[in-house]
Amino acid sequence: MATYKDIQRATGLSLSTISKYFNGQSVRPENGVAIQRAADDLGFRLNGVARGLRSGRSQTVGILVPSLDNGFILALIAGVERHLRRQGLGVLVSSSPADEAAGEAVESLRSRMVDGIVSVPSPHDVAALGQARRAGLPIVTIDHTYADLAVDHVQLDNRAAGAMAAFHLLDHGHVRVGVIGGGDDIGSLRERRDGFAAALAARGVGSADLLLRDDDPTVDAGRRAMHAMLARDDRPTAVFAANYDLSVGALIALNESGLAVPDELSFLGFDLDDIARVSRPRATTIAQPIEVIAERAAGLMLERIGRGPGADHAFVTVPADLTAGESVRRLP
């Protein structure tokens, strides 16, 4: 395996200059070119573990998520990892399901000396994340906010996303609408419902025409909620499901019901871009720009690692997109 001394023999430069280059310090441009050319020719690979020991950093960021069985979460992990890797950092992924002991996953990541944690936080990990932040560990959260967790945060503009869904249905003539919105425990879903309701009110649609289901944000709950909507004598003409799992469950129920979409019921989902490509009719969906969210979260983490956690914290919102399909009918 090639070493600094091999590069020294190839370039004639001092070991201190070579060390400065690989540790990100300033060297003369011509020296940097010579060092990198020699490293490439010799097949030199920087020892990240040794570098971390010298710098007091592990060169690793923890990614903490509720589960690993969700398309949004997996895409988010991939995006964050890609942006951090470009800056020489690796990731350590950990899930923290609801039945896990409070803070266990956070403590596990801290025991591995991660340089920071990017998290879609579960309620039972909030206290441990707050403690880690107070101890000086950079924390960046995504999607879910908690009043007692003051850290850097990136999320979709959820109120605007909910309003976008409502205006799309209203513009297609739908006044009596259903929302499968998840429970109050998750702030992002609550904000989407609030934005949806505010948009209806802005167009003069009364609350009596909004059929709201506050079930758990799961596939099974989405399926049950849609069946309950369809069983009503005064069922809505259109239904909006406020996250991916609820949308998938709602689509399952629609398929089971045999109703024709959109002729008998219009449907607007959330984060269904992949499913929309194979569904017939193609589903209309609100989409989170996951790559943008991942890039912003990784950028905040790199900034915090570079200058250390401060008393302030950033709150970044990203606008949603609407991809129009054929699942929303225009009423006469």
Side-chain angles (χ1 to χ4, degrees):
M1 180 181 294
T3 66
Y4 279 8
K5 289 186 177 180
D6 295 317
I7 296 175
Q8 182 188 34
R9 282 190 288 269
T11 62
L13 298 170
S14 68
L15 290 176
S16 63
T17 298
I18 296 167
S19 176
K20 284 181 180 179
Y21 174 77
F22 284 115
N23 283 284
Q25 299 178 41
S26 178
V27 300
R28 291 180 178 178
E30 62 271 21
N31 290 344
V33 171
I35 292 169
Q36 190 59 57
R37 182 182 297 120
D40 293 341
D41 292 343
L42 293 167
F44 174 81
R45 294 292 179 270
L46 191 63
N47 188 326
V49 174
R51 182 183 179 187
L53 290 173
R54 290 194 300 272
S55 66
R57 287 170 43 192
S58 67
Q59 303 295 116
T60 303
V61 170
I63 299 182
L64 178 64
V65 294
S67 68
L68 296 171
D69 59 357
N70 178 288
F72 168 73
I73 293 292
L74 293 177
L76 195 62
I77 292 171
V80 172
E81 188 274 338
R82 182 165 51 252
H83 288 288
L84 291 177
R85 175 161 38 86
R86 289 170 182 165
Q87 302 301 319
L89 298 181
V91 302
L92 182 61
V93 179
S94 179
S95 63
S96 183
D99 58 356
E100 187 170 279
E104 181 177 324
V106 177
E107 293 307 315
S108 176
L109 289 173
R110 293 184 68 184
S111 72
R112 287 163 172 78
M113 305 301 291
V114 295
D115 296 329
I117 298 175
V118 176
S119 177
V120 178
S122 300
H124 59 275
D125 285 325
V126 169
L129 286 170
Q131 185 178 19
R133 171 67 172 79
R134 289 188 293 274
L137 189 69
I139 306 291
V140 177
T141 56
I142 299 174
D143 198 30
H144 303 169
T145 59
Y146 297 91
D148 51 353
L149 184 59
V151 297
D152 294 323
H153 181 75
V154 183
Q155 69 172 51
L156 186 74
D157 188 340
N158 288 296
R159 286 186 64 90
M164 182 183 292
F167 286 134
H168 186 77
L169 296 180
L170 290 167
D171 289 344
H172 283 72
H174 296 276
V175 175
R176 187 157 183 78
V177 292
V179 174
I180 302 174
D184 282 336
D185 291 340
I186 298 178
S188 57
L189 290 177
R190 185 171 60 250
E191 290 170 5
R192 290 169 200 170
R193 297 197 313 264
D194 290 347
F196 193 99
L200 293 185
R203 291 282 185 90
V205 177
S207 59
D209 290 310
L210 173 61
L211 307 177
L212 182 63
R213 295 278 306 193
D214 288 343
D215 303 78
D216 293 332
T218 64
V219 172
D220 285 343
R223 176 175 172 269
R224 291 193 303 270
M226 180 58 88
H227 275 303
M229 293 274 189
L230 299 180
R232 297 178 64 107
D233 292 335
D234 57 347
R235 77 179 183 216
T237 62
V239 173
F240 167 58
N243 80 347
Y244 174 82
D245 288 336
L246 293 170
S247 297
V248 171
L251 284 175
I252 291 172
L254 281 171
N255 288 334
E256 292 171 342
S257 74
L259 287 178
V261 177
D263 293 339
E264 295 180 276
L265 184 82
S266 290
F267 175 74
L268 197 161
F270 206 95
D271 277 340
L272 288 178
D273 280 350
D274 289 342
I275 290 178
R277 283 195 285 267
V278 298
S279 65
R280 294 294 179 270
R282 183 184 176 98
T284 295
T285 182
I286 301 290
Q288 301 194 64
I290 297 176
E291 184 63 23
V292 175
I293 293 172
E295 181 180 10
R296 297 288 179 84
L300 284 174
M301 177 54 63
L302 290 166
E303 183 180 339
R304 286 299 184 187
I305 289 175
R307 64 182 174 89
D312 63 323
H313 56 275
F315 190 97
V316 178
T317 57
V318 177
D321 298 320
L322 186 145
T323 303
E326 298 88 35
S327 64
V328 177
R329 176 191 177 201
R330 186 176 297 279
L331 298 181

